[in-house]
């Protein structure tokens, strides 16, 4: 899309994602940090009229989406940026690229998402991984957790990518399971979960 070609910057967006991951250690939720940054940049644009502020705001929106957060949750603020740029969401943020799916938190769904599990090479047995995910999400145990199986495909310093790599991020009343290899996001909905709007649970 024209908008993405004009505004997407791999290096800048990667830097933003690293920055917000660092603030997590300070107890600041990365989703909130990104939204506040986007609002601040939009207000700076309104005051100074410099297009650079809008460009940086768009980078923050891309980082937000790539971290698995729902577009709908920030839609009101994102739309203001798009209106200033005279762009629409289809041109700037391709829906297919940022797909996420809301799923009911249960054993069957979690097992289905994890898929085929290597019986030998793994962080834990699939039954243990499923139980751990169910326990952490239902208990709202905030933090980031990685589950994997298979051979190591890539290794960089302390980070590794296995044949099947999943990152579970739990914050407040939101839990996102990211299938890193397939670039798919799953937002869990569970009993007592308050953020279940626009649900397409299965």
């Amino acid at each position: 899309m024209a908008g993405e070609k004009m505004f997407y910057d791999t290096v800048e967006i990667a830097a933003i994602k690293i920055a917000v991951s660092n603030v997590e250690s300070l107890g600041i939720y990365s989703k909130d940090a990104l939204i506040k940054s986007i609002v601040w940049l939009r207000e700076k644009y309104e005051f100074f009229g410099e297009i650079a502020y809008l460009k940086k705001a768009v980078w923050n929106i891309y980082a937000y989406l790539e971290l698995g957060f729902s577009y709908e949750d920030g839609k009101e603020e994102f739309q203001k940026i798009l209106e200033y740029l005279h762009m629409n969401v289809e041109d700037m943020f391709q829906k297919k690229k940022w797909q996420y799916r809301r799923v009911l938190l249960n054993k069957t769904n979690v097992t289905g998402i994890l898929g085929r599990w290597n019986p030998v090479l793994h962080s834990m047995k699939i039954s243990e991984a499923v139980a751990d995910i169910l326990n952490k999400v239902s208990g709202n145990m905030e933090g980031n957790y990685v589950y994997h199986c298979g051979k190591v495909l890539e290794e960089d310093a302390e980070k590794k990518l296995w044949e099947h790599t999943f990152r579970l991020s739990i914050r407040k009343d939101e839990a996102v399971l990211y299938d890193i290899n397939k670039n798919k996001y799953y937002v869990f909905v569970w009993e007592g979960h308050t953020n279940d709007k626009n649900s397409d649970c299965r």
Side-chain angles (χ1 to χ4, degrees), residues 57-71:
V58 171
W59 293 341
N60 277 267
I61 297 174
Y62 278 123
Y64 173 99
L65 294 171
E66 290 187 3
L67 288 170
F69 301 125
S70 166
Y71 184 90

Side-chain angles (χ1 to χ4, degrees), residues 17 52 59 66 69-70 76 81 113-114 116 119-120 124 131 134 165 183 195:
K17 290 194 290 184
W59 293 341
E66 290 187 3
F69 301 125
S70 166
E76 183 177 349
I81 303 298
I113 293 171
L114 295 184
R116 298 183 63 180
V120 179
M124 59 179 70
L134 292 172
T165 314
N183 195 32
N195 190 21

Side-chain angles (χ1 to χ4, degrees), residues 121 148-156 159-165 179-182:
L121 302 174
H148 62 81
C149 76
K151 298 179 180 179
V152 175
L153 300 180
E154 294 182 26
E155 185 171 0
D156 180 19
K159 295 183 179 180
K160 292 182 180 180
L161 177 67
W162 291 266
E163 290 178 291
H164 298 283
T165 314
D179 182 339
I180 296 176
N181 302 79
K182 295 181 180 179

Side-chain angles (χ1 to χ4, degrees), residues 11-139:
V11 175
E12 294 289 349
I13 294 166
I16 292 170
K17 290 194 290 184
I18 292 172
V20 294
S21 67
N22 290 335
V23 302
E24 292 270 354
S25 62
L26 303 175
I28 301 173
Y29 186 23
S30 56
K31 180 178 180 181
D32 293 340
L34 284 166
I35 291 293
K36 289 179 180 178
S37 177
I38 292 163
V39 171
W40 184 86
L41 288 164
R42 190 252 305 158
E43 291 175 343
K44 287 297 180 182
Y45 167 76
E46 292 172 344
F47 186 83
F48 293 106
E50 295 288 341
I51 193 71
Y53 289 110
L54 293 181
K55 191 171 185 179
K56 290 181 179 180
V58 171
W59 293 341
N60 277 267
I61 297 174
Y62 278 123
Y64 173 99
L65 294 171
E66 290 187 3
L67 288 170
F69 301 125
S70 166
Y71 184 90
E72 292 298 320
D73 291 345
K75 182 177 179 179
E76 183 177 349
E77 189 59 43
F78 301 163
Q79 188 59 37
K80 295 175 184 178
I81 303 298
L82 291 173
E83 288 175 359
Y84 281 130
L85 291 170
H86 304 291
M87 304 288 290
N88 58 54
V89 65
E90 288 77 16
D91 288 333
M92 188 70 77
F93 311 111
Q94 298 179 51
K95 291 184 177 180
K96 290 183 178 180
K97 188 171 182 179
W98 313 111
Q99 280 184 340
Y100 69 95
R101 185 171 188 176
R102 293 184 184 273
V103 296
L104 291 173
L105 179 69
N106 58 46
K107 183 177 180 180
T108 300
N109 285 341
V110 175
T111 302
I113 293 171
L114 295 184
R116 298 183 63 180
W117 208 249
N118 190 301
V120 179
L121 302 174
H122 51 59
S123 55
M124 59 179 70
K125 295 180 180 178
I126 189 168
S127 59
E128 295 173 343
V130 171
D132 194 66
I133 291 171
L134 292 172
N135 181 56
K136 282 183 167 59
V137 175
S138 60

